[in-house]
Amino acid sequence: IPVFILAGLLVHCVFLVSIFDIYFSSPLVHGMTPQQTPLPPPAKRLVLFVADGLRADSLYELNSNGTPQAPYLRSVLENNGSWGISHTRVPTESRPGHVALIAGFYEDVSAVAKGWKENPVEFDSVFNESKYTWGWGSPDILPMFAKGATGDHVYTFCYTAESEDFGAQDASELDMWVFDHVKSFFNSSRSNQTLFSALHEDKVVLFLHLLGIDTNGHAHRPNSREYKENIKKVDEGIKEIASMIENFYGNDGKTAFILTSDHGMTDWGSHGAGHPSETLTPLIVWGAGVNYPQKVTSQFFEDSFLKGSWNCLKMGMLLFAQADIAPLMASLIGVPFPLNSVGTLPLEYLNNSAHFKAESIFTNAVQILEQFKVKMSQKKETTLSFLFTPFKPLSDSEQINFLKKTRLYIQREKYDEAVSLCKTLINLALEGLSYYHTYDRLFLGLSIAMGFVGWTTYVILVIIKMHTNLTKTVQTNNQESTVLFYSFAFVGMIIAFFLVIQTCPWTYYVYCLLPVPVWYAVVRELPVIQDLATNFLSLRIGQSIGFLLVCTLGIEILVFSFFYRSALTIGLLVFAGWPVITQLWVQAKTTALMWTLLCVLLAIFPLMPVVGREPNISLVIAAGLLTLLISCFSLASLCKSENKYRNNEDLKIHFYQVLSIALSTYVVSSTHDSLKNKQGLPVLNQIISWMTLVSSSVLPLLSPTFLFRRLFSILLSLMSTYLLLSTGYEALFPLVLSGLMFVWINMEQEALQHYGLSLKQKLSVFNFAYATDITQFRQLHLDDVRRSFFFVFFIVTAFFGTGNIASVNSFDPASVYCFLTVFSPFMMGGLLLLKVVIPFVLVSCAFEAIQVTTQLSSKSLFLIVLVISDIMALHFFFLVKDYGSWLDIGTSISHYVLVMSLTIFMMLMNGLAQLLTTKRLELPRRTKHHST
């Protein structure tokens, strides 16, 4: 079985990673020649302000008293500049956002996994094409553009990483740092001749990265006073910097200014997915070469999120993609367009001659066409000629035709026709790029689907063969199996040969060859399938079909719950009626009543508000006090019980756990107050939090291995950590969940007796340590499929019940403030993951208890669980898409990643639950002398 588990883990990891290769691989190609507009540019220099994490509505909407959030920027867009909304893409993180702004292409989703700081891929950017670039700001963003630059002309100035503190007194200090350093830089240049002359060159870029708004948004939410105050400070800073730069150059009218943002933010202060609050960012452009505001009577908004109170703006608003900003910057200062840019130059922003606009968009079209040619030749080289189908609308003759026509239009001064032709060419070239980029998608998708179906079939066969008495033991014919082996090996070799000829990447070998051994394993069990078919016909057909229908319905409810959390409530209410439907309540009225009551209680949680609600620390403290009360009762009953199962060491450990709960409750309360008063995270609280986290993994292993005592010990330990990670009602969730789990263990005993499968055990003296006697295991019964389904259902409830949503950004940064407040993506991510995992561990341990008390080998039930979760995952694999709104794309990726992660987690949890329930660490005892 360990080999089987390892194979399962490997297969599932391949399935999980495959989606990124199939749908979201890197779009970059290399080997194009730079393209530059032949006419002189309107500006000599460009100042780019990026307000990290600034939402479009936060900047453009008016305050409650009718005054603008940012008075200076408001006057700019009303009197001397153009404004608009730029759409960013998933993932809405700082790194991909800045790459789209400055390099003009969208980084693949997998770049997030490679960290934010370094360059996982080499790319060209506006900074690289400029003569000089000076940048000020965050150490997470600036170094990646300096490293990617060729030569030594990009200079960066950063503050320390420790400054990015969510619990700090005021995060807007980060922005003040940038403004102050820019001012002193310009002042020092007056006495430094080299710097002074460099600043007066053409093609100069000044980049100000302002992180304060993002940090304040994470710490206090975008609707807070701090976030709005920060916008005001940035507005004042931009006003000062702009007038200082104009004065420095003697108001020569050769400076262009751009203000934008890399991404927005949800109402609860996180970003990463595709909600409009994250993907809509502001853009204001003014200065040299930029169009003046166009008066309009009414705005047309295609997005309902945009229909805020911005209608008061009577200036024309432009909607376009984030990558379009890179060609706009290149065009303003006359540098070559970044080689990998896929942006279309927004001509509406340019205040220039029709000839200049036509030449610029023509350069843009040629630059994108270059990428298309490179992509096509790459695909042609790696595909067998008889299998290659080219992109018809842009054949070689069509390309030449387009370029000749456009040149002719420009020579004849038919600029409007030239522009529309160029736009058509750009759209076709982008379609063609996408066509060649997704060329292998169908073939890879089918390979993975084949692997999926094969694996699930194999697991079902293993369950039937090993753990049921539906089939007789069948002898295998050695000669047949040898022929089978060689024929499958031959198929594998043919596939490998095809892949070698086409010089495919190594991952293709994994995806295409995976189905071969999986289906070999299935076909080897052919006698079992035949035997099963004959047996199946002798079974009661109606009962079997009914059972299959119920199974399908159950799985569909689980799939549905990813879209609507309330489906879980319906499921739990059906569960509540389970004892009545099956007549179990007749033999155990109290247990059945408790079960119904707790199911109804748990059903409330999926209806509660999701992440993003206001923190409610009083509920967390209430949960802590309730846990204390329960544990004190159990401590008292343990002290009273004068039996051979009790010793003082156990009482000590129980006492430590109670103390740990009390400390956690205190830490949550005092940390919240301290951060509220802007005093930062107290060091003592931080130490207690980390010590609690470490001890919670060890303390359960010291407790006795009797069923309920070990499970209660696990609950207390995990609860102390969970309290530290809670911000609201979710702190009560593990208590209700584990209450239901304790009753579930008792209910399953009643079910065993009800179906006459075995006698009822005395659970109070049941010991995990002696529960692995192999001879007692029974075969599977139809009712065991229901047990496994309950487990999967509870696991999904454990995820959604705590206010998580089916999205990558279903986390609240405030959850980790007891542990750390300085920005550290991987440490924070790890803690947030732990918060998700704790309820899983509780369910897994209860499931482990059910397996041993119902005399099943843990493998058999676990295999059924695997089948259920794999069928769910296959659903979501076909629902993944990379088109449509960003919300849909982000959600479809999130769903698939979640289901696959749940499956992988269940495998790991199975092992962890066995470790937590059966192993016991003995403390070295002091020898005592007793006088008898």
Side-chain angles (χ1 to χ4, degrees):
I1 282 287
V3 177
F4 184 80
I5 294 271
L6 277 175
L9 270 174
L10 191 71
V11 167
H12 283 88
C13 287
V14 170
F15 289 160
L16 177 56
V17 176
S18 69
I19 171 190
F20 293 107
D21 248 359
I22 296 174
Y23 289 94
F24 307 102
S25 52
S26 176
L28 288 191
V29 285
H30 297 288
M32 292 78 66
T33 47
Q35 302 294 324
Q36 188 171 354
T37 309
L39 301 176
K44 283 186 168 184
R45 64 203 77 88
L46 174 99
V47 185
L48 172 65
F49 301 96
V50 177
D52 205 302
L54 174 62
R55 285 164 56 145
D57 55 340
S58 299
L59 181 69
Y60 294 141
E61 280 181 358
L62 297 175
N63 287 325
S64 48
N65 58 4
T67 56
Q69 293 278 11
Y72 172 69
L73 290 169
R74 184 61 159 230
S75 73
V76 164
L77 70 89
E78 285 181 350
N79 303 314
N80 54 356
S82 292
W83 71 289
I85 299 286
S86 80
H87 270 266
T88 73
R89 284 201 183 181
V90 179
T92 43
E93 295 292 349
S94 293
R95 186 202 150 89
H98 279 88
V99 170
L101 285 173
I102 298 161
F105 72 92
Y106 301 105
E107 223 172 3
D108 55 311
V109 179
S110 56
V112 172
K114 295 169 182 161
W116 280 264
K117 310 217 174 165
E118 294 306 314
N119 274 358
V121 283
E122 288 306 313
F123 58 82
D124 188 23
S125 70
V126 173
F127 294 175
N128 188 29
E129 297 290 356
S130 70
K131 193 167 264 180
Y132 292 107
T133 295
W134 286 274
W136 295 264
S138 156
D140 296 336
I141 294 298
L142 293 172
M144 80 180 178
F145 291 104
K147 281 220 171 90
T150 48
D152 188 21
H153 63 277
V154 178
Y155 306 98
T156 58
F157 308 92
C158 311
Y159 36 76
T160 59
E162 285 69 44
S163 315
E164 300 173 22
D165 187 345
F166 295 163
Q169 288 173 327
D170 190 5
S172 64
E173 291 301 320
L174 299 176
D175 298 342
M176 296 303 113
W177 185 98
V178 171
F179 293 137
D180 294 343
H181 275 70
V182 175
K183 287 173 197 164
S184 62
F185 172 80
F186 273 93
N187 289 335
S188 69
S189 74
R190 295 184 193 279
S191 55
N192 178 342
Q193 195 48 50
T194 328
L195 181 57
F196 190 79
S197 56
L199 278 167
H200 279 78
E201 291 274 6
D202 291 357
K203 303 178 183 175
V204 165
V205 179
L206 301 164
F207 171 45
L208 285 71
H209 176 242
L210 309 166
L211 188 67
I213 295 177
D214 185 65
T215 310
N216 265 324
H218 284 311
H220 304 285
R221 317 276 163 99
N223 296 321
S224 63
R225 184 178 55 80
E226 288 84 354
Y227 187 82
K228 289 173 178 166
E229 291 280 315
N230 204 153
I231 294 177
K232 267 199 175 54
K233 284 185 180 171
V234 165
D235 182 59
E236 287 157 15
I238 290 175
K239 182 181 180 180
E240 287 174 24
I241 297 290
S243 75
M244 181 201 71
I245 290 176
E246 291 285 21
N247 293 338
F248 180 84
Y249 290 107
N251 291 326
D252 63 352
K254 288 287 181 189
T255 313
F257 297 91
I258 292 184
L259 165 99
T260 186
S261 165
D262 52 352
H263 56 74
M265 192 173 277
T266 57
D267 290 340
W268 58 92
S270 73
H271 50 84
H275 189 266
S277 63
E278 299 162 86
T279 57
L280 298 179
T281 55
L283 176 81
I284 300 177
V285 190
W286 70 103
V290 179
N291 234 339
Y292 288 110
Q294 308 298 310
K295 290 270 190 287
V296 289
T297 45
S298 67
Q299 303 282 11
F300 168 68
F301 296 114
E302 47 182 71
D303 198 318
S304 58
F305 186 79
L306 298 171
K307 292 177 184 162
S309 54
W310 315 353
N311 266 339
C312 50
L313 284 165
K314 295 290 180 243
M315 309 300 138
M317 183 191 78
L318 304 163
L319 269 172
F320 59 94
Q322 193 176 34
D324 298 348
I325 298 174
L328 175 65
M329 293 195 286
S331 160
L332 286 172
I333 54 171
V335 298
F337 286 41
L339 292 176
N340 297 109
S341 166
V342 292
T344 310
L345 178 65
L347 295 174
E348 301 84 355
Y349 276 83
L350 298 179
N351 178 17
N352 217 316
S353 65
H355 183 204
F356 180 84
K357 288 182 179 179
E359 282 289 359
S360 297
I361 194 95
F362 181 61
T363 308
N364 192 186
V366 173
Q367 171 259 326
I368 293 177
L369 189 63
E370 279 282 311
Q371 290 182 72
F372 168 79
K373 286 180 182 168
V374 172
K375 193 87 176 173
M376 182 172 91
S377 64
Q378 278 182 2
K379 202 33 94 193
K380 210 169 186 174
E381 280 167 23
T382 60
T383 312
L384 296 173
S385 52
F386 65 90
L387 289 175
F388 181 71
T389 43
F391 182 65
K392 296 279 191 323
L394 267 189
S395 59
D396 291 352
S397 57
E398 282 289 326
Q399 290 175 33
I400 295 164
N401 191 11
F402 264 115
L403 297 176
K404 270 186 180 165
K405 253 187 180 173
T406 315
R407 256 292 139 240
L408 204 64
Y409 278 141
I410 291 176
Q411 281 162 2
R412 292 182 179 170
E413 300 187 1
K414 290 184 173 177
Y415 298 126
D416 289 346
E417 288 89 333
V419 166
S420 71
L421 202 60
C422 285
K423 284 186 173 170
T424 313
L425 178 57
I426 288 175
N427 290 334
L428 282 175
L430 289 174
E431 263 178 53
L433 266 174
S434 166
Y435 170 80
Y436 286 121
H437 186 54
T438 59
Y439 193 78
D440 299 327
R441 178 171 300 171
L442 181 68
F443 152 67
L444 290 177
L446 283 173
S447 291
I448 292 292
M450 288 269 293
F452 240 126
V453 175
W455 166 257
T456 312
T457 314
Y458 177 62
V459 177
I460 293 173
L461 287 175
V462 169
I463 295 170
I464 289 169
K465 187 179 165 188
M466 310 277 283
H467 300 285
T468 67
N469 39 22
L470 289 177
T471 58
K472 303 185 290 293
T473 47
V474 187
Q475 292 297 313
T476 50
N477 183 334
N478 281 347
Q479 197 177 355
E480 272 180 21
S481 60
T482 317
V483 172
L484 202 62
F485 176 78
Y486 282 117
S487 53
F488 267 93
F490 181 64
V491 171
M493 280 161 73
I494 290 175
I495 294 173
F497 176 67
F498 263 98
L499 294 173
V500 170
I501 295 177
Q502 303 191 53
T503 56
C504 292
W506 66 272
T507 46
Y508 282 30
Y509 290 85
V510 178
Y511 305 144
C512 300
L513 292 172
L514 182 70
V516 177
V518 171
W519 279 101
Y520 169 64
V522 171
V523 176
R524 265 182 61 191
E525 305 295 345
L526 204 59
V528 177
I529 300 172
Q530 289 163 345
D531 196 29
L532 191 66
T534 50
N535 274 5
F536 191 74
L537 295 172
S538 61
L539 286 173
R540 281 170 295 185
I541 299 286
Q543 191 185 358
S544 307
I545 291 173
F547 178 70
L548 283 173
L549 280 174
V550 171
C551 285
T552 315
L553 183 71
I555 290 174
E556 290 307 318
I557 283 185
L558 284 176
V559 170
F560 209 63
S561 71
F562 276 73
F563 299 96
Y564 306 99
R565 294 164 74 236
S566 48
L568 292 172
T569 302
I570 296 165
L572 282 164
L573 292 175
V574 173
F575 280 12
W578 168 57
V580 181
I581 300 164
T582 55
Q583 298 292 307
L584 273 177
W585 66 281
V586 179
Q587 66 193 60
K589 288 193 172 57
T590 325
T591 320
L593 186 68
M594 295 269 287
W595 166 265
T596 305
L597 194 71
L598 283 162
C599 276
V600 172
L601 260 181
L602 197 65
I604 298 169
F605 283 94
L607 298 175
M608 300 289 269
V610 291
V611 281
R613 54 192 181 259
E614 279 304 300
N616 189 341
I617 297 299
S618 48
L619 277 177
V620 182
I621 295 167
L625 296 174
L626 189 61
T627 315
L628 271 178
L629 193 69
I630 295 169
S631 49
C632 288
F633 266 118
S634 76
L635 190 61
S637 67
L638 202 63
C639 292
K640 275 185 202 154
S641 65
E642 285 294 328
N643 63 10
K644 58 184 179 187
Y645 301 122
R646 178 178 78 90
N647 66 35
N648 290 340
E649 295 292 330
D650 299 347
L651 287 180
K652 270 185 203 164
I653 285 153
H654 195 91
F655 180 72
Y656 286 139
Q657 290 182 312
V658 173
L659 185 70
S660 172
I661 296 272
L663 272 174
S664 293
T665 311
Y666 160 74
V667 167
V668 167
S669 162
S670 75
T671 303
H672 180 72
D673 292 341
S674 172
L675 291 175
K676 209 172 181 181
N677 302 331
K678 296 215 165 54
Q679 291 165 345
L681 169 61
V683 177
L684 178 67
N685 289 10
Q686 199 173 6
I687 293 168
I688 293 174
S689 298
W690 284 105
M691 281 173 67
T692 305
L693 177 64
V694 173
S695 68
S696 69
S697 55
V698 179
L699 281 175
L701 296 174
L702 297 170
S703 65
T705 51
F706 297 108
L707 186 95
F708 285 120
R709 278 167 66 186
R710 175 52 73 96
L711 289 179
F712 191 64
S713 172
I714 292 169
L715 167 67
L716 287 186
S717 284
L718 295 178
M719 195 63 195
S720 58
T721 307
Y722 200 81
L723 284 170
L724 294 170
L725 291 166
S726 297
T727 57
Y729 71 81
E730 80 269 24
L732 293 161
F733 182 78
L735 282 179
V736 180
L737 181 70
S738 45
L740 184 60
M741 292 298 103
F742 283 134
V743 179
W744 184 30
I745 294 169
N746 284 311
M747 282 299 286
E748 289 298 358
Q749 284 300 309
E750 304 296 341
L752 266 189
Q753 208 178 1
H754 182 73
Y755 289 108
L757 294 177
S758 82
L759 294 171
K760 206 162 134 185
Q761 307 205 21
K762 194 171 181 206
L763 291 182
S764 56
V765 294
F766 189 90
N767 196 327
F768 276 120
Y770 312 127
T772 47
D773 182 4
I774 203 92
T775 54
Q776 296 177 344
F777 292 151
R778 61 183 180 79
Q779 295 284 36
L780 285 172
H781 179 260
L782 267 186
D783 196 42
D784 294 319
V785 178
R786 177 202 48 80
R787 282 191 183 91
S788 303
F789 177 73
F790 271 23
F791 171 65
V792 180
F793 192 93
F794 286 135
I795 283 277
V796 175
T797 309
F799 182 75
F800 290 113
T802 52
N804 289 314
I805 49 178
S807 157
V808 186
N809 71 353
S810 82
F811 56 82
D812 182 351
S815 299
V816 300
Y817 289 169
C818 287
F819 293 91
L820 76 165
T821 54
V822 176
F823 179 65
S824 160
F826 293 108
M827 186 74 88
M828 286 181 164
L831 287 166
L832 291 161
L833 190 63
L834 178 70
K835 183 180 177 179
V836 171
V837 164
I838 285 174
F840 291 176
V841 177
L842 292 172
V843 178
S844 299
C845 289
F847 190 57
E848 181 65 26
I850 282 167
Q851 290 179 134
V852 293
T853 55
T854 55
Q855 297 171 343
L856 279 173
S857 76
S858 58
K859 317 298 179 291
S860 54
L861 276 188
F862 176 67
L863 292 176
I864 303 178
V865 167
L866 208 55
V867 171
I868 295 173
S869 51
D870 277 343
I871 294 171
M872 277 169 67
L874 195 58
H875 263 79
F876 287 116
F877 180 76
F878 288 116
L879 290 174
V880 170
K881 52 180 170 185
D882 64 343
Y883 56 87
S885 83
W886 279 111
L887 187 57
D888 296 345
I889 296 169
T891 309
S892 73
I893 304 170
S894 299
H895 283 172
Y896 183 69
V897 170
L898 270 174
V899 171
M900 288 311 295
S901 309
L902 279 180
T903 312
I904 293 171
F905 261 127
M906 282 183 211
M907 292 185 170
L908 300 171
M909 287 294 144
N910 192 38
L912 181 65
Q914 277 183 345
L915 175 80
L916 276 175
T917 50
T918 53
K919 296 287 174 277
R920 180 161 192 196
L921 299 175
E922 291 290 346
L923 286 176
R925 307 248 171 126
R926 291 193 298 278
T927 49
K928 295 181 183 174
H929 300 289
H930 292 282
S931 53
T932 46

